[in-house]
Amino acid sequence: MTSLYSINYHTRAHKRDAFIEFIKSLLLNPFVLHTRPSFLAADSEETPEWEKKFAPATRTQKNSHCGEGEETQDENVKRYCEVLQCVEELIYDHILHQRQNLIELSRLSALVPSIGRFFTPLPLRNSFIRQDAKRAIAARRSVPPSFNDIRAVLNDAQVTAISSTVKLMTFDGDMTLYADGANFPPTSSLVRLLITLLHHGLHIAVVTAAGYPNSPAKYETRLAGLLTGFRSSSLPAAALERFYVMGGECNYLFRYDAARGHLVGVAPEVYEPEAVRRWSTDEGLIAGVLDVAEGALRAGASEMKLEGKVDVLRKGRAVGVVPKDGVRLTRETLDEFALTAQRALTSHSLAQSRSPPATTTTTSTPPPTVPFCAFNGGSDVWVDIGNKLIGVQMLQAFLGTKGWETLHVGDQFLSTGNDISTRTACCTAWVTNPEETAEILTELCSLLGAGEGGK
Ligand code: IMP
Ligand code: MG
């Protein structure tokens, strides 16, 4: 049935995160119900006697004494904390259900049907207190807790929760480690922070969509500032060699070689599992998927009258729409491209899985489904073969780390983004720029330092 509700839901779903919206709606209650209106001299002589009889006495009295002072603010913090304590409990209940394979039966699944897995509990209450000190959330009377406030609280809680178990951190590139389309600047505070994480024994991997087949030099150019930092650092080779780059979502793996001071390729046979090799070595199948994607993107460009304003670029494992110099595509246009390509490819793979195999003997195996990722990159749109979920999962298997030991930091967690898929494999932090990444890592480094001091 197509109700107005479902139309609204489907036209907005790609712009929202259901769990953050859920928390936002809960925090709106204390904001609306308990932020006191300032009564204008309600007990003055002008107030008729009959009105005073029914006026909300306790509020009037309290307000006249308390005004907008600290007491009110503390009360607000307390109420927000109560809500977040309840969300903490919902998450923990969800984790217990997950452990018994009963995820659909958790109360959180009933309240937020699209909710995924949690790999650690989240201490939201304490994180709120820390973020409130920075963002003055509870002090606000006109602006309720926002999407960005809640994202900051979730990031803080996730970093705190994983600090005692983390072994692998994966980072998106554009807008997470460096500006969109830019190279890693040598002056970035992230150079020192990433070196500190390596010093603490973590594995670090950049998991980026940028796909440059057999070309470590191109990745070295993008990561120049960081690699310069590595070469001049006093870290032992073993620590520096815990650094990896996974390019093209999951297609090309490189490792830092400290003796050479360069990235070197890792052969796919070393880290790709059989299930991935079945499609990754089938160039014909991959070309077929890219043909469908290219057709959908070209049709989109034509329907939106963008021919002449964009280029459609085809690579071995990707096809993208890139604006020509001086052209800026709106977010709506980019989302339209990404959603159209997603739909075309989903229908292509459904049709493939339903069509009978060429030979109809009972022993013939159907062709593998080629995974893909169609995403809005902020200023361009790409359809890549594979996705970051596979990239992170392969690194986890290769390095021997679990979901509660892995943290992926990225900027694209909406349904048209390319970081969202990693949520199935590990903990995540959602940033909007490299400065936020630095903030998170500063917190993590201080927790790791404190943990070491206590050992
Ligand atoms: P990420 O944010 O590090 O995942 O990088 C995404 C950006 O990389 C895209 O928005 C593109 O600008 C750029 N890019 C370069 N080559 C490719 C490719 O082959 N596939 C997808 N994105 C690419
Ligand atoms: Mg990005």
Side-chain angles (χ1 to χ4, degrees), residues 172-176 180 208 375 377 388 410-412 418-419:
D172 161 63
D174 293 57
M175 294 309 282
T176 297
D180 206 11
T208 173
F375 71 98
K388 290 192 183 182
D411 70 307
Q412 296 282 350
N418 66 344
D419 291 302

Side-chain angles (χ1 to χ4, degrees), residues 49-357:
E49 278 311 310
W50 62 266
E51 190 181 296
K52 281 187 190 166
K53 238 163 77 183
F54 297 107
T58 48
R59 286 196 160 220
T60 314
Q61 278 162 17
K62 199 161 182 193
N63 200 61
S64 62
H65 297 304
C66 163
E68 299 189 13
E70 253 175 45
E71 207 177 312
T72 314
Q73 230 184 81
D74 288 350
E75 283 293 302
N76 282 349
V77 174
K78 212 169 101 192
R79 289 186 188 105
Y80 286 138
C81 282
E82 270 170 20
V83 170
L84 291 168
Q85 169 93 41
C86 293
V87 180
E88 273 185 33
E89 288 164 13
L90 283 172
I91 292 171
Y92 194 56
D93 169 71
H94 190 72
I95 290 175
L96 298 180
H97 278 79
Q98 261 169 217
R99 213 163 270 158
Q100 306 204 19
N101 283 331
L102 295 171
I103 196 166
E104 309 77 15
L105 297 184
S106 83
R107 185 158 158 69
L108 192 52
S109 290
L111 295 166
V112 187
S114 62
I115 201 76
R117 292 177 68 82
F118 288 86
F119 293 91
T120 65
L122 295 179
L124 297 175
R125 192 180 185 285
N126 288 343
S127 293
F128 178 83
I129 293 170
R130 263 195 303 278
Q131 290 302 316
D132 185 52
K134 291 185 191 170
R135 307 171 72 93
I137 303 168
R140 299 198 308 244
R141 298 179 140 256
S142 306
V143 179
S146 67
F147 171 87
N148 282 330
D149 293 327
I150 297 162
R151 193 173 54 76
V153 171
L154 285 168
N155 285 347
D156 184 308
Q158 185 57 83
V159 165
T160 309
I162 203 171
S163 63
S164 57
T165 54
V166 66
K167 290 184 180 158
L168 165 65
M169 280 194 77
T170 58
F171 292 89
D172 161 63
D174 293 57
M175 294 309 282
T176 297
L177 292 179
Y178 33 80
D180 206 11
N183 297 339
F184 204 128
T187 49
S188 166
S189 59
L190 288 169
V191 175
R192 181 186 52 79
L193 289 162
L194 292 175
I195 289 176
T196 308
L197 293 178
L198 291 169
H199 161 76
H200 281 295
L202 269 64
H203 285 95
I204 304 288
V206 178
V207 179
T208 173
Y212 315 123
N214 303 319
S215 187
K218 285 222 176 110
Y219 290 102
E220 287 186 356
T221 306
R222 298 296 308 271
L223 297 168
L226 180 63
L227 300 186
T228 304
F230 282 0
R231 290 179 198 118
S232 57
S233 93
S234 56
L235 272 194
L240 293 172
E241 292 187 351
R242 286 195 289 267
F243 179 79
Y244 292 84
V245 178
M246 178 67 87
E249 316 273 358
C250 60
N251 284 294
Y252 319 105
L253 182 63
F254 303 91
R255 181 179 59 82
Y256 184 71
D257 182 322
R260 292 191 222 170
H262 286 286
L263 294 174
V264 292
V266 182
E269 303 79 50
V270 177
Y271 63 89
E272 279 187 354
E274 185 47 35
V276 171
R277 287 203 73 66
R278 283 194 65 217
W279 58 260
S280 75
T281 49
D282 193 331
E283 295 301 334
L285 208 58
I286 287 173
V289 173
L290 291 178
D291 287 345
V292 174
E294 185 175 341
L297 295 177
R298 285 193 186 281
S302 151
E303 276 159 21
M304 292 190 275
K305 310 265 181 296
L306 290 169
E307 287 153 324
K309 293 190 178 166
V310 299
D311 290 315
V312 176
L313 302 184
R314 175 96 176 231
K315 299 185 182 180
R317 299 272 157 127
V319 54
V321 174
V322 179
K324 289 186 187 289
D325 277 349
V327 176
R328 178 140 189 90
L329 300 179
T330 61
R331 172 186 155 160
E332 290 78 3
T333 305
L334 296 165
D335 279 344
E336 174 70 18
F337 271 121
L339 291 168
T340 308
Q342 278 177 13
R343 207 169 39 247
L345 289 164
T346 305
S347 102
H348 171 73
S349 65
L350 276 176
Q352 277 219 318
S353 65
R354 283 181 193 150
S355 65

Side-chain angles (χ1 to χ4, degrees), residues 124 258 267 282 347 361 364 393 415 430:
L124 297 175
D282 193 331
S347 102
T361 59
S364 62
Q393 282 175 331
S415 67
W430 184 346

